[in-house]
Structures are given as structure tokens and as C-alpha cells.
Amino acid sequence: MISLRKTCFAVASAFALTMAVEAAPAAAQVDSHGHEMCNPITNITPQNPIHSLNGNLVLQQSSYPCPVAEAPAPAPAPAPAAPQTYTVYFDFDRSNIRADAEPVLRQALEAAQAGNQNFALTGHTDTVGSAEYNMGLSLRRAESVQNWLEQRGVPANATSVAGRGFSEPAVPTGPQVREQRNRRVEIILQ
């Protein structure tokens, strides 16, 4: 009879523990050293604790420290933004700013003012004429854009100017070929 009584008590205790597991409010289960403990066999976790009749948390022998959630890896640094590029075109053998260049130059100016950036101005030509002449013409085109920017408040030290002549065509052509897309200044905001 004693054996039967112990068995009934054990079954009743197991039933009560099961009910307590399902009905228990979320609370951290802490051992005597202040560590959260988990038990995978009876599903005892800090979110699903078992309380004794006197309200204390019950720790099973197979309880172990709960896994500590690792801090998420820091997000990778954002890639540097691609530089903004604008292109203005020039008439054959000219370095003056055309009317159709004004809107493009204004966009570049507004973008630079919003981000307090510097301008890299690189002039280019088509392949008509000598390399020496075209190098000078490409530089004059870049300086023309620099002057336009300075007249609108951009300090000279916020611009760099370079000429490439016909060495870096936008559209590859043979020698002595007029090509509008090669007669340009590329404006790069840095």
C-alpha cells in the first residue's frame, strides 16, 4: 500500500508539474547563484518555469545554464557612395559653356552645396587636330566650367582641373573624326 501511495503521489506530482508548466506565467528561472537555468527534458526555461507549492522555482537535476543569446554581429560599414558624375558638352573647337549645359551645371552645383563636396573637372576633346592642341583645348574646357562655378560662389580650392585631350574618348573613333560625345567636361563630385 505504501508503494501504491508513493506511485499515486508521483503521478499526481507529475500531473501538477505539467499543469504548472502550461499555466505558469513567463518569469526567469534563477538558481541560487543568480544564473538562469534551462531543462530541455521537461521544457523548463526562463519563459516556461515550474513553481513549487510554496512559490519557489523548481530546478531539475538535468537543468543547465540557458544559452546566452549572442549579440548580433555589427552591420558592415556601408560602402562609400559612388561619386556623382555630370557631363557637359562643347561645340567643335570651342570652350565656352553652351546653353544646354546650364541645367546640368546647376544640378551639379546644387548637389555639391547639399553635401559640401568638391569638384573634379576633366576636359576632353574629339580626335580632330594635334595631341598638343587638343590637350590645351580640353584644359580650357575644364577651366571654363571652373569659372562658371566660381561665378556662382564655389571657391577655387573646391575644384581641381585636368585636361585629357583625346586620350580618353567616350566614343572610340579613328583619327581626325568629329564626335560630339567626346567634346566634353566630366564633373565628378568628391
Side-chain angles (χ1 to χ4, degrees), residues 60-169:
Q60 303 293 320
Q61 276 189 322
S62 60
S63 295
Y64 60 93
C66 294
V68 177
E70 293 183 26
Q84 293 175 289
T85 303
Y86 301 87
T87 305
V88 293
Y89 296 96
F90 292 81
D91 290 328
F92 178 74
D93 199 26
R94 298 283 182 249
S95 60
N96 57 309
I97 302 292
R98 298 185 336 193
D100 65 344
E102 293 272 339
V104 175
L105 291 169
R106 290 191 189 288
Q107 285 179 340
L109 182 60
E110 289 171 10
Q113 289 171 338
N116 196 21
Q117 299 176 345
N118 294 321
F119 294 91
L121 310 171
T122 307
H124 301 272
T125 66
D126 59 23
T127 59
V128 176
S130 70
E132 183 180 338
Y133 178 80
N134 279 299
M135 187 60 71
L137 178 58
S138 66
L139 189 56
R140 287 191 302 277
R141 287 175 175 167
E143 290 170 342
S144 180
V145 171
Q146 181 184 38
N147 291 335
W148 187 95
L149 293 169
E150 285 179 8
Q151 290 170 3
R152 283 143 187 91
V154 175
N157 65 356
T159 60
S160 64
V161 176
R164 297 286 187 262
F166 53 67
S167 65
E168 298 174 9

